[in-house]
Amino acid sequence: MQGIKDKIRTIPDYPKPGIMFRDITTLLQDARGFRKTIDEMVQPFAGTRIDKVVGIEARGFILGGAIAHQLSIGFVPVRKRGKLPHKTLAQEYQLEYGTDSMEIHIDAINEGEQILLVDDLIATGGTAEAAIKLIRHYKGNVIGGSFIVDLPELGGRKRLEALGVRVLALAEFDGH
């Protein structure tokens, strides 16, 4: 069987020139590859108490939902501003040009809960850091961040590790 990295399609110059987009849809449509990915995203945390999975919009919803199902625990979405229907807390983060913000429902995380943060890719770590700040605001403990792809030259892993978060990435790619 091919490795996970081999099942990820690279699309040059998307969404803009110079960017090498790592498209996980080719991995997700492969039943065995998808199952292996979920298993490998969870396995390093075996034996660790996890109360909820927090998934970052949008591909983190797919992965996080599957992981939460496998662990028989709850799932919490972190979304872009204005997408959640109940009262929320927002956290701004830096983009290449400007800022954006992520939101979480005010009743999504309880004090002391052990949280696994999930997304498809870690680049600069800005969105993941915003999600961590939201979780920590409610005194949740982020026990780790689980990602499929890491772009190490952009420094996201180091940024999260500096926050004390254990980071797992299944595949590393060079370039944007």
Side-chain angles (χ1 to χ4, degrees), residues 151-162:
L151 304 177
E153 66 192 47
L154 297 181
R157 174 191 287 268
K158 289 180 181 175
R159 184 176 185 173
L160 298 190
E161 288 172 345

Side-chain angles (χ1 to χ4, degrees), residues 67-78:
I67 290 169
H69 173 77
Q70 183 166 324
L71 296 174
S72 298
I73 59 176
F75 173 79
V76 175
V78 172

Side-chain angles (χ1 to χ4, degrees), residues 57-87:
E57 186 170 345
R59 289 170 295 277
F61 294 176
I62 298 164
L63 303 166
I67 290 169
H69 173 77
Q70 183 166 324
L71 296 174
S72 298
I73 59 176
F75 173 79
V76 175
V78 172
R79 299 206 63 188
K80 293 176 182 165
R81 184 182 297 270
K83 299 290 186 178
L84 291 171
H86 186 55
K87 293 177 186 172

Side-chain angles (χ1 to χ4, degrees), residues 38 41 50-79 84 102-105 107-110 113-120 131 135 146:
I38 297 304
M41 291 179 81
I50 302 173
D51 299 307
K52 289 181 182 163
V53 174
V54 170
I56 299 173
E57 186 170 345
R59 289 170 295 277
F61 294 176
I62 298 164
L63 303 166
I67 290 169
H69 173 77
Q70 183 166 324
L71 296 174
S72 298
I73 59 176
F75 173 79
V76 175
V78 172
R79 299 206 63 188
L84 291 171
M102 303 294 289
E103 293 182 333
I104 193 169
H105 279 140
D107 58 358
I109 304 294
N110 297 309
E113 285 186 318
Q114 300 282 93
I115 307 297
L116 179 62
L117 182 66
V118 175
D119 204 0
D120 66 321
I135 294 163
S146 195

Side-chain angles (χ1 to χ4, degrees), residues 4-72:
I4 288 170
K5 186 174 181 176
D6 299 325
K7 294 182 180 292
I8 298 170
R9 173 173 43 205
T10 298
I11 302 172
D13 299 321
Y14 182 83
K16 61 183 187 176
I19 302 294
M20 299 295 281
F21 186 82
R22 308 306 176 176
D23 178 17
I24 67 160
T25 62
T26 48
L27 172 63
L28 299 177
Q29 68 193 13
D30 178 282
R32 292 176 77 172
F34 185 29
R35 177 62 168 190
K36 181 178 191 232
T37 299
I38 297 304
D39 290 345
E40 289 188 19
M41 291 179 81
V42 171
Q43 193 283 325
F45 302 99
T48 304
R49 187 184 107 220
I50 302 173
D51 299 307
K52 289 181 182 163
V53 174
V54 170
I56 299 173
E57 186 170 345
R59 289 170 295 277
F61 294 176
I62 298 164
L63 303 166
I67 290 169
H69 173 77
Q70 183 166 324
L71 296 174
S72 298

